[in-house]
Amino acid sequence: MNVLGAVRNVGKLIYPPRCIGCDEVLAEEMRDSGICKACRPLIHPVKEPLCKKCGKQIYHGDRAYCMDCDTRPHVYMEGRGVFLYEGPMKQAMYRLKYGNRRGVAEVIAREALRNHGRWIASIQPEALVPVPIHRNKRIKRGYNQAEVMAQAISRQTGIPVVPLVERTVDTLPQKELTPEKRAKNLKNAFKVGKNGVKFKRILIIDDIYTTGATVDAMAGILLDRGIDEVYCLYGCIGQGY
Ligand SMILES: [Zn+2]
Ligand SMILES: [Zn+2]
C-alpha cells in the first residue's frame, strides 16, 4: 500500500463513511454508493419528463414547462436538478451546507454525471460557476457548499471551477418588496470579476433550486458581461406541476 492509501485508510477509521441521508455508518458494501439500504428507496434522482426550462420533474410528458416556468420567464437558458428535494435528501443538503459533509457533494456529482452527463456534454460549458455566498458567511462557515459541489463535479468532468461571481451584499431585506424590486435587489447583490468576459457558455452550480431568482440574477449580470449562454445545475430541486 502506498503512503496515500495508508493515510486514506487511517482517515476511514477515524471518520467511517456515513450515509448521506441518515448519517449512520455505512455497511462495507454500501460505501461506494454513499447511501444506506434504508435510505436508498427514499432518495430519488430527478426523472423524465422534465420541465424544459428549470428541469423540475413534471407529471405530464405532453407539457413542455412546469406551471412556474409557464408564468415566469427566466434569464438562464436551461437548468437541471440531480435529486428531488424530499425525504433524506433534505437532511443531506443541510449537512452539506452546515456540517461540511463533502460526501454529499460526491454522491451528487456522480449522480449528476449518470443522470445529466449527456446534457452537460451537449451544452459544453467552459466553466462551472458556483453561486457565491458573502465573504462574512464564508469566513464563519469556512466554505461555500455550492463551490464544494462544483469541485466534485469538476473532478468528474474535467471542467474547471471558476468563481466568476462575488456576493457583495450579505443579507437582503427581501420581504415586503414587489417581485420586480426583489429581482433588482438581488441583481445588485452580485458582482462579476473582470475575467468573466472570456467565456461563452457557463454552468452555474447551486445546492437547491427554489424559484430561480438567484440564478436569474446571476445569469443577468453574466449576460451583461458578454457571456452568451448560462445554464444551471442544482443538487436538489422540488417536484414540478
Ligand atoms: Zn441512510
Ligand atoms: Zn420549470
Side-chain angles (χ1 to χ4, degrees):
M1 190 188 298
N2 61 22
V3 174
L4 248 183
V7 169
R8 213 172 285 139
N9 278 348
V10 169
K12 275 184 186 164
L13 289 176
I14 303 169
Y15 304 108
R18 290 176 178 273
C19 169
I20 65 161
C22 65
D23 211 29
E24 291 294 325
V25 174
L26 282 166
E28 191 74 41
E29 71 272 22
M30 305 307 280
R31 289 190 174 175
D32 284 342
S33 83
I35 302 171
C36 78
K37 277 186 184 145
C39 290
R40 176 47 73 192
L42 306 172
I43 292 180
H44 304 289
V46 173
K47 282 207 281 274
E48 302 267 358
L50 308 179
C51 166
K52 295 200 166 40
K53 195 70 184 178
C54 69
K56 276 185 198 142
Q57 185 173 314
I58 51 178
Y59 289 111
H60 304 291
D62 51 344
R63 290 182 46 183
Y65 302 111
C66 71
M67 261 158 66
D68 280 348
C69 293
D70 251 344
T71 51
R72 189 200 317 239
H74 288 295
V75 181
Y76 64 81
M77 293 284 288
E78 271 177 35
R80 290 290 184 274
V82 179
F83 289 108
L84 285 180
Y85 188 56
E86 58 176 34
M89 271 321 284
K90 286 195 171 176
Q91 281 83 53
M93 296 316 278
Y94 185 86
R95 288 191 200 100
L96 172 65
K97 191 165 179 178
Y98 299 106
N100 200 5
R101 287 299 166 80
R102 286 160 191 250
V104 179
E106 297 298 335
V107 171
I108 289 172
R110 283 202 299 269
E111 189 58 37
L113 263 282
R114 242 196 310 266
N115 210 345
H116 304 303
R118 282 170 69 178
W119 177 75
I120 296 170
S122 73
I123 60 178
Q124 296 186 300
E126 294 150 282
L128 305 175
V129 181
V131 170
I133 56 174
H134 190 265
R135 226 179 125 252
N136 293 349
K137 259 196 197 124
R138 204 200 158 91
I139 290 168
K140 210 167 136 201
R141 209 182 289 162
Y143 63 97
N144 168 10
Q145 74 279 3
E147 202 173 313
V148 170
M149 246 187 75
Q151 281 155 355
I153 294 166
S154 176
R155 283 193 288 276
Q156 302 268 339
T157 58
I159 305 165
V161 178
V162 186
L164 279 180
V165 184
E166 255 175 71
R167 199 160 198 142
T168 54
V169 184
D170 195 357
T171 41
L172 294 168
Q174 292 281 44
K175 285 176 191 166
E176 295 152 32
L177 290 180
T178 63
E180 293 75 27
K181 281 210 177 121
R182 200 180 286 193
K184 194 163 176 241
N185 205 0
L186 200 48
K187 197 168 173 179
N188 290 336
F190 294 112
K191 193 179 91 185
V192 184
K194 58 178 180 292
N195 56 348
V197 285
K198 68 180 178 187
F199 299 112
K200 290 294 167 205
R201 288 173 313 282
I202 61 116
L203 184 61
I204 292 178
I205 307 292
D206 203 4
D207 53 350
I208 304 164
Y209 181 89
T210 46
T211 63
T214 306
V215 278
D216 273 332
M218 271 180 72
I221 59 165
L222 289 165
L223 294 175
D224 289 349
R225 296 298 293 267
I227 288 178
D228 290 339
E229 295 172 8
V230 176
Y231 297 86
C232 336
L233 181 69
Y234 336 100
C236 278
I237 193 165
Q239 170 80 51
Y241 295 96

